[in-house]
Amino acid sequence: MQVTIGLDLQSGFLAQGGFVRARTISHATGFPLWGYKIRTAFVAASLIPALFVICLFALTLYTAPEHDDLCFAARYVRVGFVPTIIDLYRGATGRIVPIILIQLPAAISTKTGISLVSAYELTMAACAMIFLAGISVAVARWWPSIRGLPLFFMAVAFASALLGALPSVRDLLYWLPAVSSYTPAAILSALILGECVRALYAGSGFSNAATYGIASGGFVAALCNEFTGAWLIVFVVSSVLGRQAFGQILQIRQHVLIAVAVLTGFAIVVFSGGSNSRLAALNGAGHAGDIALSLRGALDSVASDLLSFLKEPPVAAWLLVAATMTLAEPEPVRPGRGSLLAFGVLAICLVCIYFEYFMHEFSTGGRLVERAANEAMMLFLFGLTMVASLLTRVYRPGLRRLLGSSSLSLGSLTLPLLLGVLMTISVLLSSAASLLFSQRNSLRPYWQESVERQRLVATSSGRIVTVPKHTWKPSLLMSADLMATNGCLAALYDKSDVLGGEPEGSTSAK
C-alpha cells in the first residue's frame, strides 16, 4: 500500500530545494521510493566503483595456494583439523582464527573431491564477499537514515576506495594467510569502533544484544593477531571515558563484559607456546628489543605509510563523498558533541596504528609488513570517515547555506552524478587500478600454470617431481615462485621432493 505526501511532511532534507512537490512512501519500509531519474543517477554513480570491486573480486578465481597454504594443507591431510590447530598453537603461532581458516581449502578439497586450487578459489571468493558485507554494514550503521541506492553507492564507493588505496590488494584478497590474520580483525575493529562512537554521539547505551555482539566480535578479532586485542581495549576504555565526559550512563557492566571477552582472546594469542616460539626465533633480529630504536623506527614508518596512503586519490575522494552525503542525510545535528568526538576518534586511531607499528618493530626488529599495514590503514580510513562525517554534522547549517541546499539532497540529480564522476576518476587513478591494468595479460596464464603444476604433482608416479617454474609472475596474485615450502607441496601429495625447472620454451619471467 502506498500513499503520497508533501515534502513538508518529510524530514528536513526532503523539504529543501523544492525540485519536486511530492514523494511516494511505502508503508512497508517507511523510506522514499525514488523516481526513475534519481535511481538511474545513483546507478550511474555506482557503476565504475562497482565494476572495479567486481573485477578485483573476480580475480579471486585466479588465486592459487602457495607457501603457508601448502604447509597447512599438508598438515591437515596428515593429522586432521583439530590436531593441526593444537600442534600449531603449541609450536608455531597463537593466531587461532588464521589456523582455522587456512585449513579450509584442504578440508573442502578432501570432503568434496575437487582440486585444492578450486577449493582455494572458492574460499578466497567467500572471504571477498564477507569483506564487502562487513564494510557495507559499517557504512549502513554509521548512516542509518540513508537507504536503498544511495546506501549502495556509498558501500561500493567505500569498498573501491579501500581496494584502490590499501598498501597491498594481494594481501587483502588473494593470499589466505594474510587475509585470515588481518582482514576479519580490521572489519570487526571498524564495526566495534563505529558502534562505540555512534552510541556516544546519540547519547544511547548498548542493548543486551549489542553488548553480546560486540563482545563476541571482539573475542574473534583478538584471536586474529597479537595487537588487535590491544586496539579493542583502547576502544572500550575510551568509550567509558567518553560517557563520563558527556554525562551519560557509564554502563560499566556492559563494558566490562566486552573487555573480558577481548582480553580472553588476547591472552589466548599472546601467551601461546607458538607465539613464544616465534618471538624467540626473532630475538636479536634488526633492533628487536631496543625500545628507543623501535620508537623512532615506528614513528618514521607510520609517517611514511600514512603520507603514502593519504596521497592515494580514492582516499580524498571517499572522504568528500562521506562529507557530502552527510550534508544530505535526514539526521539531526549535535554540534556540541560532534567536535569532541571527531578529535577523539582521530587520536584513538593514530594511537592504535602507532602501537601496531611499534610492537612489530620491537618484537621483530623490522618494518611492519604490508599485510599488517592493510589493517592499520583500514582502521585509519574508517576513522577519518567518521571524523569527516562528525565535523560535517557540526557545521552542517552553515555548509548548506554556503553550498545551496537544493543541490545537497538525496533527491537531487546533481549530487550522485558529481560524486560518481569523482569516485570514478579517483579509482581509475589508484595504485591498484594501475597494477591491475599493467598485469592484466599475465593473470590467467599464471593461474593456468598453477593449476597445471598442482595436477602434475598430484598425478606423477615418481617420488621426485620436477615442475616448471612460473613464466608469468603477476605481483597482484603471487609473491614468490617455488621456495622452501616445496617440501610442503611434496608432502601434500606424498612425494619425496618437488623441484623447480625452467619453463619450456621460455627463458625469462613475465
Side-chain angles (χ1 to χ4, degrees):
M1 180 179 180
Q2 296 178 346
V3 296
T4 301
I5 62 175
L7 286 178
D8 56 335
L9 298 182
Q10 300 289 325
S11 50
F13 87 109
L14 288 178
Q16 310 264 350
F19 72 97
V20 75
R21 296 300 177 188
R23 282 283 184 246
T24 302
I25 302 297
S26 167
H27 282 311
T29 64
F31 299 125
L33 300 176
W34 309 112
Y36 173 77
K37 291 183 178 180
I38 302 301
R39 291 199 301 270
T40 302
F42 273 105
V43 169
S46 307
L47 184 60
I48 298 302
L51 288 176
F52 179 68
V53 172
I54 291 171
C55 184
L56 289 176
F57 280 14
L59 292 184
T60 58
L61 301 180
Y62 284 164
T63 56
E66 58 179 25
H67 316 329
D68 291 351
D69 300 303
L70 298 172
C71 294
F72 274 67
R75 186 181 290 267
Y76 169 83
V77 171
R78 187 172 67 253
V79 302
F81 195 85
V82 174
T84 296
I85 296 174
I86 296 173
D87 291 348
L88 292 176
Y89 181 77
R90 288 175 175 173
T93 178
R95 299 178 177 183
I96 298 295
V97 170
I99 293 176
I100 293 172
L101 294 181
I102 300 173
Q103 293 187 78
L104 290 182
I108 294 171
S109 176
T110 301
K111 300 300 182 183
T112 64
I114 65 175
S115 70
L116 180 63
V117 174
S118 297
Y120 195 82
E121 295 163 2
L122 292 175
T123 303
M124 300 314 299
C127 289
M129 296 309 299
I130 293 171
F131 163 77
L132 180 60
I135 62 176
S136 297
V137 170
V139 170
R141 293 291 292 171
W142 186 251
W143 284 278
S145 56
I146 297 179
R147 291 289 185 269
L149 286 172
L151 180 61
F152 173 77
F153 165 68
M154 295 191 73
V156 296
F158 187 38
S160 64
L162 286 171
L163 293 172
L166 287 178
S168 173
V169 69
R170 172 185 177 268
D171 290 337
L172 183 70
L173 293 178
Y174 308 131
W175 189 41
L176 187 53
V179 172
S180 59
S181 294
Y182 300 104
T183 302
I187 294 171
L188 289 169
S189 296
L191 287 169
I192 292 171
L193 179 60
E195 289 302 306
C196 291
V197 176
R198 203 170 78 94
L200 283 169
Y201 181 78
S204 61
F206 295 138
S207 65
N208 287 334
T211 301
Y212 292 128
I214 293 173
S216 300
F219 177 71
V220 172
L223 289 175
C224 290
N225 55 59
E226 294 80 7
F227 58 83
T228 301
W231 282 10
L232 300 178
I233 292 301
V234 172
F235 298 169
V236 172
V237 172
S238 299
S239 177
V240 174
L241 294 177
R243 289 174 179 276
Q244 186 176 37
F246 293 146
Q248 300 174 6
I249 298 175
L250 297 183
Q251 290 197 302
I252 296 298
R253 182 182 66 82
Q254 288 85 346
H255 285 83
V256 168
L257 176 62
I258 296 169
V260 168
V262 170
L263 287 173
T264 301
F266 183 68
I268 289 173
V269 172
V270 172
F271 297 114
S272 68
S275 293
N276 293 331
S277 299
R278 290 178 63 206
L279 289 176
L282 291 167
N283 187 31
H287 50 261
D290 190 313
I291 295 179
L293 287 177
S294 297
L295 287 169
R296 185 165 60 250
L299 185 60
D300 291 341
S301 298
V302 166
S304 175
D305 286 0
L306 288 180
L307 183 60
S308 297
F309 183 69
L310 290 172
K311 286 181 178 179
E312 286 288 341
V315 173
W318 161 249
L319 293 177
L320 185 57
V321 168
T324 305
M325 293 298 283
T326 300
L327 283 175
E329 69 176 341
E331 187 168 320
V333 182
R334 297 176 181 269
R337 190 167 291 158
S339 297
L340 292 175
L341 275 177
F343 290 111
V345 168
L346 181 60
I348 289 170
C349 290
L350 290 176
V351 166
C352 289
I353 292 170
Y354 180 76
F355 172 80
E356 178 186 357
Y357 276 74
F358 166 74
M359 287 305 298
H360 193 276
E361 291 260 357
F362 182 73
S363 60
T364 70
R367 183 186 177 90
L368 187 70
V369 293
E370 285 187 333
R371 54 185 176 272
N374 276 350
E375 181 179 357
M377 296 305 136
M378 284 180 69
L379 177 70
F380 186 55
L381 185 57
F382 188 68
L384 287 180
T385 299
M386 291 190 289
V387 169
S389 178
L390 288 167
L391 292 178
T392 300
R393 289 170 183 171
V394 171
Y395 300 104
R396 177 176 173 174
L399 289 171
R400 289 183 67 87
R401 287 193 299 269
L402 178 65
L403 299 174
S405 60
S406 61
S407 60
L408 295 173
S409 166
L410 296 184
S412 166
L413 285 172
T414 305
L415 181 70
L417 293 177
L418 288 178
L419 295 181
V421 169
L422 177 65
M423 285 306 305
T424 295
I425 294 173
S426 68
V427 163
L428 294 178
L429 293 176
S430 67
S431 297
S434 298
L435 187 63
L436 175 62
F437 182 79
S438 64
Q439 298 183 358
R440 66 191 185 280
N441 293 327
S442 64
L443 302 175
R444 182 172 176 80
Y446 159 77
W447 172 77
Q448 291 173 326
E449 290 177 349
S450 299
V451 172
E452 178 60 22
R453 174 183 292 180
Q454 294 280 331
R455 187 200 64 78
L456 182 61
V457 178
T459 59
S460 175
S461 59
R463 296 291 297 165
I464 299 177
V465 184
T466 299
V467 297
K469 294 180 181 179
H470 278 295
T471 304
W472 303 88
K473 300 181 180 181
S475 60
L476 187 63
L477 296 181
M478 67 173 290
S479 61
D481 208 341
L482 292 167
M483 48 188 298
T485 49
N486 291 1
C488 295
L489 179 60
L492 177 62
Y493 294 105
D494 193 27
K495 306 297 181 183
S496 298
D497 198 5
V498 175
L499 305 177
E502 290 300 322
E504 296 182 6
S506 175
T507 58
S508 63
K510 297 180 179 63

